[in-house]
Amino acid sequence: LAFTISRLFKRFRKDEALLREVLTCACAAGVAVAFAAPIGGVLFALEECSSYYASRVLWRSFFCAAVATLVLMRTNPFFDGKLVLFEVQYDLHWFWFEIIGFAMIGAIGGLVGHLFTILNIHYQKLKAKWTFLDSHPILEVFLVIVITHIANHPIWFLKMSNNQILRSLFTSCQNVVLDGDSDSSRVTQLLCDRKSSGELIGVLSASILNKFLLTLITFGVKVPAGLFIPSLTLGACMGRLGGTFIQHLTDAYPDWLLFRECDSTSACVDGAIYAIVGAAAVLAGVTQVSLSLCVVMIELTGGLSHLLPVVVAVLSANMVTNPLGSPSIYDSIVHVNRYPYLDVNIDLDIQKASEFELRAKDIMRTNLHVIKASGSRLVELEEILESLKFNGFPVVNNLVDKTLVGYLSRTELIRAVSKAREQSASPASIVSLVQDEITHDNQLIEIAEQGSPKVLNFSKYLDSFVPLVFEDTSVYQVYRLFCKLGIRYCCVQTDGKLRGVISKKDMIAYLDVSEEIVQNYFV
């Protein structure tokens, strides 16, 4: 939505950096509205959605998130005057010995997130090979609906929505009354009655397996099925199950030195805090976010008593996934879908690059389509636009020595040709892309001289600041150039003469050592 609206304004069309700032602010506003977490939204945009984050974007993102949250509060979407989705009614007390349990649940959540990411990558690759589902998205969505209904029907606990499941799992058993025949009373009795612990373990175990597999096949379909809430639900079930085991452990061995701290209380372990910790751990393992996730969980539940347990779990999850080299699910989807994105944090195999002495000349494109700085006719440029789909073209002085003059992007060429047509320029008109004695001003002009054709001045559309590398520049340095400057291409030159071009897609083709993904965009 932000991209579509911003493209209506010339300022954002001309300035890609400013457009990216708008998208970052929109991301912060989106997370703020989705979870009623304005601060968490800003931190999420800073941590996950931006490889370069200017300081001025911070307060702009915060302003957008705050306005979005105020509008959400005014609309009262939950009809209760509150913004907290899963409000914790009581302070969740915990003891220091439970830090071990929080860390273990965090580590298990990180492993679950790592396993989910790996399996989802293989599933997406399988769908990329079997193109039937991609060509029939409605059928794919219908099959997912049928599978979800069949899988959830035997388990009465899963007949509730994800939001209802999370609310019940995040509810503390303090001061609850175990009576009534309603669905909510049945859930409360399952979670809080010690006599129902066997059924609780069975229901939570089946729910964990169910949610893991269904989220695995649902994420990536052609509908916005979401990832946050299903991951939170999976983690909450896992955390509540872990809390149940720790609760049984404290009941079975109350004399242990580790458990003597909770002798003064009737309920030593509260399963609700373990549900919150498990939800944060699994989401941290899947998305690879840390700081923003902790803040989102606090804003999501409206409590500070469980801040430290959430921090411990998120840190444990990241400490497990980082050594495994697990990418976030977002980076994995970008890689599988072949989007031209270069990860700033990737570690290039420098040893491999040095062993094979890979240089810029080894990965550059040499079959180039260039445009002469002067002498081309308007009709020739129109034919280039119709026949070639490249995003830009190097401009050289002539086709013999190919001395590089600049770079003409496809967007600017289309704009120049359209303006020439508006001024009724002849197709036979000669185009000049450099300033000289004939085309001396920055406006599009036609000059008719005796015995010479008309000349169109396209010099103001030429980009003279071209990223350049030498033929012997290492691939590692070229990669860093792409990441640090955010460029889409660079020209390879020797003594000012064009030798080739390296695009971002060429760099991705070099990095992609897997042959399992269909590389259908390389031309």
Side-chain angles (χ1 to χ4, degrees), residues 15-287:
D15 193 338
E16 289 289 337
L18 191 59
L19 177 61
R20 283 169 172 77
E21 293 180 6
V22 172
L23 297 181
T24 302
C25 296
C27 174
V31 175
V33 170
F35 303 103
I39 301 177
V42 174
L43 293 177
F44 183 84
L46 170 63
E47 186 175 2
E48 187 66 20
C49 301
S50 185
S51 57
Y52 172 75
Y53 202 88
S55 58
R56 65 177 178 274
V57 184
L58 182 63
W59 75 266
R60 293 176 181 176
S61 301
F62 185 54
F63 177 79
C64 290
V67 171
T69 307
L70 289 174
V71 173
L72 179 68
M73 187 174 183
R74 182 67 182 87
T75 57
N76 191 19
F78 307 116
F79 304 103
D80 57 2
K82 299 179 180 179
L83 283 180
V84 180
L85 285 176
F86 312 111
E87 184 176 7
V88 177
Q89 300 292 339
Y90 305 98
D91 287 336
L92 300 178
H93 298 289
W94 52 276
F95 299 93
W96 283 104
F97 74 87
E98 294 183 85
I99 290 291
I100 301 175
F102 299 148
M104 291 178 61
I105 290 178
I108 296 174
L111 290 175
V112 170
H114 172 74
L115 180 62
F116 176 85
T117 302
I118 297 301
L119 292 179
N120 187 263
I121 291 174
H122 288 292
Y123 178 67
Q124 298 298 333
K125 289 179 180 179
L126 183 62
K127 289 204 305 182
K129 285 184 176 180
W130 190 42
T131 58
F132 178 78
L133 288 180
D134 277 341
S135 58
H136 298 82
I138 297 179
L139 177 61
E140 180 187 9
V141 173
F142 177 76
L143 290 176
V144 170
I145 293 173
V146 172
I147 294 174
T148 302
H149 178 74
I150 294 175
N152 288 342
H153 185 73
I155 308 173
W156 65 269
F157 185 71
L158 295 179
K159 292 181 181 179
M160 300 186 297
S161 66
N162 284 333
N163 287 351
Q164 291 174 323
I165 294 175
L166 285 173
R167 285 193 183 94
S168 62
L169 293 175
F170 289 171
T171 301
S172 175
C173 291
Q174 302 176 24
N175 303 323
V176 297
V177 180
L178 301 177
D179 59 2
D181 298 328
S182 62
D183 292 338
S184 59
S185 299
R186 186 181 180 186
V187 173
T188 303
Q189 185 172 7
L190 174 68
L191 295 176
C192 299
D193 190 358
R194 299 291 183 90
K195 299 177 182 179
S196 304
S197 59
E199 181 186 1
L200 176 62
I201 293 174
V203 169
L204 290 179
S205 300
S207 300
I208 291 171
L209 181 61
N210 179 287
K211 287 297 180 183
F212 182 86
L213 295 178
L214 289 182
T215 306
L216 185 66
I217 65 173
T218 302
F219 184 70
V221 298
K222 299 300 188 295
V223 291
L227 178 67
F228 268 65
I229 296 299
S231 298
L232 289 176
T233 306
L234 170 63
C237 292
M238 187 191 72
R240 193 86 186 206
L241 181 62
T244 302
F245 283 124
I246 296 177
Q247 187 179 58
H248 281 295
L249 194 62
T250 57
D251 292 341
Y253 304 98
D255 297 330
W256 276 14
L257 180 62
L258 196 63
F259 301 148
R260 288 181 181 177
E261 187 180 1
C262 59
D263 287 341
S264 58
T265 60
S266 58
C268 184
V269 175
D270 194 335
I273 192 170
Y274 285 89
I276 296 174
V277 166
V282 171
L283 191 56
V286 172
T287 61

